[in-house]
Amino acid sequence: MPNPADQPEQPQRPGPGPVLSTTRFSVLDRSRTREGHPDAEALRDTVALAREVERLGFHRFWVSEHHGVPGVAGSAPTVLAAAVAAATRTIRVGTGGVMLPNHQPLVVAEQFGVLESLFPGRIDMGLGRSVGFTDGVRRALGRDKDVADDFSGQLDELLGWFDGTSPTGVHARPAEGLTVPPFVLAMGEGAAIAARAGLPMVIGDLRSRERMLRGIDTYRAGFRPSAWANEPYVVISGTVAVAATPEEARRLLVPEAWSMAYSRTHGTFPPLPPAERVESRTMTAKERGFYESGLAGQLAGTADEVAHELETVVKETGAQEVLVTTSTYDRDALLDSYRRLAYMLRP
């Protein structure tokens, strides 16, 4: 973790409690585009954030996959992961995740085999079962909505390329024989799939606490040890915003909350707007409802407030790791939030 002299001024406080002190903290950046900024800048911001997150001592840094979405520049996660890994030295790098139904498992295995060969011991393979965001995107990808129904079979095929057990007689180069830790992003029945496969599970979001706990219970109850994991490993994911005041922390949430509200009412997920523009706009009752819902229940506040909330949720879930997924328009405020979080977690 960083030198306190490099951190924002804040009052002295005790280190993390016993639960947080043994919990890993990682970051997922979705390469969110911003109004008035080119998409390429969002990708460069992701790489720059990875370098800062590594300096702050976080455990891993993941990137995401979205296709045809105006609000997200990250459409090729393994390519972006390569750029992140090349720009860092020690932090684990991976995907949160590659949406397996969009791809042939052999190609995914080859891509991660290349990554692991170039950056040995640092690559994670986070895998999801979502397909395109809209019917048009799914048609462009050549995928139907129901292709996700065979996620379990696709997962088995992918892992078989690393084991060298494909019945095709084909061998994945250079993936075969390499160990790239797989994680399942649990959406819907993903928890049961992760359990049957004996893989670590990533589950969110932190606002839907009861649903998250049900998924974790399903995962732990059905977990079967595998060559990849001897026991359940739970990563909980969601937004965590830390600032000098509760008001400043809440303001970090405003751009993403509005973008989510806009997507629910207009059918497209837009670039992030500045918080002040959102706060000054007139919303319909429907927009206001989705917007307020997006602000509610997030882990946002001062360092002390967030530490208390994190301690509570990690105790409730028994999670081994927290994957922070915060996005906002103000990049300086976002970096400050991660620095405050890292400083809060120092022993």
Side-chain angles (χ1 to χ4, degrees):
M1 289 297 180
N3 189 309
D6 297 331
Q7 303 309 305
E9 289 187 12
Q10 47 192 307
Q12 292 294 317
R13 62 180 303 278
V19 173
L20 295 188
S21 64
T22 59
T23 304
R24 289 170 167 167
F25 278 79
S26 300
V27 172
L28 165 65
D29 190 67
R30 292 182 294 139
S31 303
R32 291 289 273 116
T33 59
R34 297 182 291 157
E35 288 185 1
H37 297 262
D39 290 359
E41 185 175 334
L43 297 172
R44 291 192 293 268
D45 285 343
T46 291
V47 175
L49 178 61
R51 286 195 292 262
E52 179 67 7
V53 161
E54 178 179 65
R55 190 184 74 83
L56 292 171
F58 286 89
H59 182 61
R60 60 180 109 239
F61 187 91
W62 283 4
V63 297
S64 64
E65 175 183 337
H66 296 81
H67 299 283
V69 179
V72 184
S75 56
T78 53
V79 176
L80 186 52
V84 168
T88 55
R89 294 186 304 107
T90 58
I91 194 168
R92 297 196 64 86
V93 176
T95 56
V98 163
M99 297 301 141
L100 196 50
N102 291 337
H103 309 281
Q104 291 296 329
L106 170 61
V107 175
V108 175
E110 290 171 336
Q111 290 172 346
F112 278 98
V114 170
L115 283 170
E116 176 63 21
S117 298
L118 292 172
F119 309 101
R122 293 180 55 204
I123 301 301
D124 299 322
M125 186 167 56
L127 305 163
R129 63 188 296 270
S130 296
V131 289
F133 185 63
T134 65
D135 289 339
V137 170
R138 288 190 289 274
R139 285 195 299 271
L141 290 170
R143 295 293 188 268
D144 295 322
K145 215 170 187 178
D146 59 4
V147 72
D149 295 342
D150 191 35
F151 177 67
S152 184
Q154 296 158 357
L155 185 61
D156 288 342
E157 181 183 343
L158 172 62
L159 299 181
W161 290 116
F162 288 92
D163 294 337
T165 56
S166 171
T168 64
V170 176
H171 297 274
R173 311 290 186 193
E176 188 173 310
L178 297 180
T179 301
V180 183
F183 294 73
V184 171
L185 277 61
M187 301 290 288
E189 64 180 270
I193 293 172
R196 287 195 299 270
L199 300 179
M201 177 186 71
V202 183
I203 189 167
D205 71 34
L206 296 175
R207 294 177 300 164
S208 305
R209 207 69 58 85
E210 289 186 8
R211 182 181 177 189
M212 188 192 318
L213 289 170
R214 287 197 301 271
I216 291 171
D217 288 343
T218 296
Y219 171 66
R220 289 201 174 107
F223 185 84
R224 301 174 183 173
S226 71
W228 300 96
N230 292 324
E231 56 188 23
Y233 188 91
V234 174
V235 183
I236 55 174
S237 68
T239 295
V240 180
V242 190
T245 68
E247 294 75 22
E248 290 176 36
R250 183 182 183 278
R251 207 154 190 267
L252 283 167
L253 309 178
V254 165
E256 184 76 9
W258 167 247
S259 290
M260 292 298 295
Y262 189 92
S263 72
R264 298 290 296 275
T265 53
H266 293 78
T268 185
F269 195 57
L272 293 172
E276 57 269 19
R277 196 167 73 73
V278 175
E279 293 169 334
S280 66
R281 71 176 294 128
T282 301
M283 301 183 195
T284 66
K286 191 173 184 180
E287 287 172 339
R288 176 67 62 179
F290 285 129
Y291 172 66
E292 295 293 345
S293 176
L295 293 173
Q298 306 280 17
L299 269 63
T302 64
D304 284 337
E305 291 168 339
V306 170
H308 174 74
E309 287 295 321
L310 281 172
E311 191 90 16
T312 299
V313 71
V314 171
K315 283 180 180 177
E316 286 179 351
T317 60
Q320 287 90 348
E321 188 169 341
V322 177
L323 182 66
V324 182
T325 62
T326 311
S327 299
T328 195
Y329 181 90
D330 187 334
R331 297 297 298 186
D332 289 337
L334 180 64
L335 288 171
D336 180 67
S337 177
Y338 278 120
R339 288 169 186 144
R340 290 175 183 273
L341 177 60
Y343 183 55
M344 181 190 84
L345 296 170
R346 293 184 70 233

